[in-house]
Amino acid sequence: MTTLFPPGFLWGAATSAHQVEGGNVNSDWWRFEHEPASGVHVSSGDGIDHLHRYREDFDLLASLGHTAHRLSVEWARIEPAPGEFSAAALAHYRRVLAALRERGLRSFVTLHHFTLPAWFADRGGWLAPDALTVFERYCARVVAALGDLADFVCTINEPQMVALHGYLEGYHPPGIAHAGHWKRVGRVLLEAHHRAVAATRAHADAAPGLVVQLPVLAPAREDAVTRRYRDELRAEIVDLYLDDLRPGDGGDWLGVQYYRKNWVDPASPTIFVPPPRGFATSQMGWAVYPEGLREVLGRAARTGLPLYVTENGIATEDDTERIDYLESHLGAVLRAIGDGVDVRGYLHWSAFDNFEWAEGYRPKFGLVAVDHAAGFRRQPKPSAYAFQRVAESGDLSRLRAAGVTTV
């Protein structure tokens, strides 16, 4: 098998506003973090102060061989009250995107990455009767203001996980466990994606696309009931979205996000059960299964859309595990390309160790460590240099090359 990626392949990493910026006090997530009953015991606080350090962060990523970067703009900052748009927030994000362009980094700009303005959540969030109209208004305003500086527009981050975590499992806002709401929200978010595509096309030349998390789902037992339950979950988490997407009204590209293989069990109160013996797991308890990335890329290719891996990574304190993970999962991407799948880029999750939602700051996904006690000092890990060698050469065999690149 070749170790070479196609010419023009994009390399980079991803962040989201709430996880890195800090001080997102007008969002539903900030409020959720501070509710004792939510089970989230750590505040996002100052994040990693990316709100003020984005230029030096982009300098660092560019020096590490990145040619693209995925980030989100924060709805709660841009529209702090219904219909009230902040000129200062939009000007800030114009500076952010201009800084990416000045450093030669292609931008993937996510319009909605998990967080909602608190006022939108209070009106019912995605269950509100006017949710789609309000979201479409927000998208149109953002794309009109920022679209000339965006290369790719990511409409909604992981709509299946917004629905699953917030409305069925209940450990993300709004903390609901209701099967009917889960399914309804999933369909609302799919329509919201289409509205965002239309808004992008009307106001900018940037290429719109959806980004979906595609886990590999397996039955915990090989009986008919468990297999049927797995099939039902796959229909809601994977097929609902992919079967709806086609070139044109579905967008110009599709972002694939992959982390794990999940075993599902109808008898489990949490839907999922731990992996069988023999599987390596991350700090999140997720099973490491590299071949799954090749599988989900093959499934996503059936949409007919060009693909980008917009998130993939491992939570671990052991950076040698991260290097192993990069090698195995980039190998899976190469095998998918060898299968004829049109994959055009890979964005690692994440650029920096950051706030990981209900898990707080404990999981370490980043290529770059952040020392909060030392003024948010950034320190690239050995994995960042391993990734740099691949990004700059386009050759996976360079991952473990002798010598260490320094910044």
Side-chain angles (χ1 to χ4, degrees):
M1 184 192 81
T2 181
T3 61
L4 299 176
F5 286 85
F9 196 84
L10 292 180
W11 296 96
T15 62
S16 87
H18 187 78
Q19 294 176 271
V20 296
E21 286 182 345
N24 189 23
V25 299
N26 292 320
S27 70
D28 62 337
W29 255 99
W30 182 272
R31 185 166 59 189
F32 194 69
E33 294 158 22
H34 292 83
E35 291 177 355
S38 73
V40 181
H41 302 299
V42 177
S43 166
S44 54
D46 292 324
I48 61 168
D49 197 31
H50 180 72
L51 188 71
H52 303 105
R53 299 165 189 260
Y54 63 89
R55 290 187 180 90
E56 63 194 70
D57 285 341
F58 296 160
D59 284 338
L60 176 58
L61 297 177
S63 74
L64 289 169
H66 295 207
T67 57
H69 184 68
R70 178 168 170 246
L71 75 171
S72 71
V73 295
E74 179 50 58
W75 187 359
R77 297 188 194 276
I78 291 170
E79 192 179 3
E84 181 179 319
F85 290 89
S86 168
L90 289 169
H92 166 76
Y93 286 118
R94 281 196 66 83
R95 292 191 294 271
V96 170
L97 296 180
L100 281 177
R101 184 158 290 186
E102 289 162 5
R103 289 154 180 80
L105 294 167
R106 303 286 297 280
S107 60
F108 287 75
V109 182
T110 307
L111 298 176
H112 172 57
H113 195 124
F114 284 1
T115 51
L116 298 174
W119 61 262
F120 183 82
D122 289 342
R123 290 155 55 115
W126 295 113
L127 293 171
D130 62 347
L132 289 169
T133 300
V134 172
F135 181 66
E136 186 175 17
R137 178 185 67 192
Y138 157 73
C139 292
R141 189 63 173 265
V142 170
V143 175
L146 306 177
D148 61 310
L149 291 173
D151 296 297
F152 301 86
V153 169
C154 313
T155 58
I156 298 173
N157 179 73
E158 298 182 354
Q160 332 96 297
M161 300 305 154
V162 174
L164 182 70
H165 297 335
Y167 294 85
L168 185 62
E169 295 175 299
Y171 71 95
H172 282 197
I176 294 171
H178 188 291
H181 290 341
W182 165 50
K183 292 184 178 181
R184 179 181 166 191
V185 167
R187 286 153 178 79
V188 169
L189 288 168
L190 188 54
E191 176 58 24
H193 160 67
H194 288 288
R195 299 278 188 104
V197 168
T200 301
R201 295 206 194 288
H203 295 284
D205 293 328
L210 185 64
V211 292
V212 291
Q213 188 185 141
L214 300 179
V216 172
L217 298 176
R221 295 178 304 280
E222 288 298 330
D223 59 79
V225 171
T226 307
R227 287 198 304 273
R228 184 165 60 250
Y229 184 66
R230 184 274 314 274
D231 293 345
E232 291 169 356
L233 282 175
R234 188 164 56 197
E236 288 294 324
I237 295 174
V238 176
D239 298 337
L240 172 68
Y241 301 89
L242 296 187
D243 288 347
D244 184 76
L245 298 177
R246 293 291 181 271
D249 65 348
D252 295 336
W253 57 278
L254 175 63
V256 172
Q257 311 197 160
Y258 173 77
Y259 291 98
R260 55 181 163 165
K261 184 173 185 175
N262 283 106
W263 284 263
V264 302
D265 188 342
S268 170
T270 61
I271 304 171
F272 305 112
V273 295
R277 283 177 190 263
F279 275 86
T281 57
S282 71
Q283 285 178 305
M284 303 289 285
W286 298 346
V288 177
Y289 181 61
E291 190 60 19
L293 180 52
R294 179 186 185 184
E295 292 177 25
V296 300
L297 287 168
R299 171 66 181 91
R302 286 158 50 187
T303 63
L305 292 163
L307 306 180
Y308 294 84
V309 177
T310 44
E311 286 186 26
N312 175 239
I314 183 174
T316 179
E317 294 274 7
D318 182 353
D319 200 55
T320 60
E321 289 186 346
R322 182 169 292 104
I323 292 172
D324 291 343
Y325 187 98
L326 279 166
E327 184 173 50
S328 62
H329 286 72
L330 288 174
V333 174
L334 278 174
R335 289 191 293 278
I337 293 171
D339 295 336
V341 177
D342 184 9
V343 187
R344 300 184 181 184
Y346 176 93
L347 304 176
H348 184 76
W349 185 269
S350 61
F352 306 94
D353 289 337
N354 56 206
F355 179 75
E356 286 297 336
W357 308 109
E359 302 295 328
Y361 286 96
R362 178 186 62 87
K364 300 295 187 285
F365 277 95
L367 294 170
V368 178
V370 179
D371 189 338
H372 290 245
F376 301 101
R377 181 174 61 88
R378 275 63 164 153
Q379 179 59 56
K381 303 174 186 178
S383 58
Y385 300 122
F387 187 75
Q388 177 182 6
R389 290 191 290 273
V390 178
E392 291 181 343
S393 66
D395 187 348
L396 182 55
S397 71
R398 296 288 299 160
L399 184 86
R400 298 182 186 275
V404 176
T405 305
T406 58
V407 175

